[in-house]
Amino acid sequence: FSRHRRQEAVILIRSFTFITVLFVFVVGIQGFWMSSFPTPISSPGTSGTSSPLSKRLKTSSDLAAKASRNDEGHENEHQLSLKLVTFNVAGCQPSHHAPRSWTPEDSLRAVQTEVLRSEPDIIALQEFPGHAIPQLTSGRIFSDYHLVGYQASHAPYVVLLVRKGLDASQVSQSSQGNENDDLRTLPVVLAELRFDSDEENTDSQNQLRKIWIASVHLEPFGEGASIRKKQLQSIVQEAAKAKVPVVIAGDTNMRVAEDKVAESQKNGVALFDFWKLAGSDFRTKYTWNTRNELAKGGFFNQYYGPNTREYVTRYDRIYTTASQMDVESLCLIANKPVGTSKKHFLSDHFGMATTFRLQWKKLLKK
């Protein structure tokens, strides 16, 4: 019996010794593996991805130009990112195919919802109804935005709004020149946005830390091309005198043949087209599309009813005088019908939402 117990004890000791040695060996291999191939560590509160909103700058202090850095940690560019929406709202009048209970107030609220969905920093509206101006001035609509101003045009009002917290004010407009050259008589609201610099202030830097934004509704109809040219020249020349880049957004009423006029230096304009800077995507080209796409499974913006003329064009544009402009994105808004209808749209126009980035150092060199 004693011999049997001794054999069991020897077996237990050997088993325990083997398990201990195996455990030490496994721990050692794991330590070697971890030291040779370290696991990446995520930043606190992140999961490896970030939402688009976390990448965007919102307040005036956040929107101040920040220095981006390259892999060596050296300063690369000072950049500023802004998001802008422009939309001709057609007076917020219900379309021909709107429900009978649909009112202009319903259109106004739906326009606000559609515009705010893009979370813009700047809002340029055209054909804004006069009856809704008091709601803008009182903050009952677009309450998170500062009303820079509104100006009469051939079709209600041109409006410009800037997110509260941004340092913005309406540009005092020159009184020199003839009627078409006088900004005070043009269908434009012009704002100056100012941003702090992290560097030592100089006169040239202070100028380049500013940008002008214009909401416009230019002369209508095909025969208005020469007047539209003068209107654009007035804005560009005013910005040139102030030595500030300008972004012009809105219903320009321009035709295809006018592209060269707006983009030519010979005409004293020399503008850069956001749609082209964004890559000339055909899907975002037309801000007016009244073609019947129902047979293709699409929609029909028959805003004016059976008499709606079917065609596509690009009346609405966004231009800039700054060649050093990175247009990060450009998309259409309000280009789908409201609710379950296939013909009830908020406007005869589609709007545009764009995110663009200014590179201050390139501007300084320019």
Side-chain angles (χ1 to χ4, degrees), residues 57-69:
L57 305 172
K58 296 245 175 139
T59 66
S60 57
S61 58
D62 291 335
L63 278 164
K66 302 295 183 180
S68 62
R69 299 183 179 277

Side-chain angles (χ1 to χ4, degrees), residues 172-178 181-184 238 241:
S172 57
Q173 298 164 347
S174 172
S175 60
Q176 297 180 359
N178 60 44
D181 292 332
D182 187 351
L183 290 181
R184 295 178 302 175
E238 200 75 13
K241 286 190 291 184

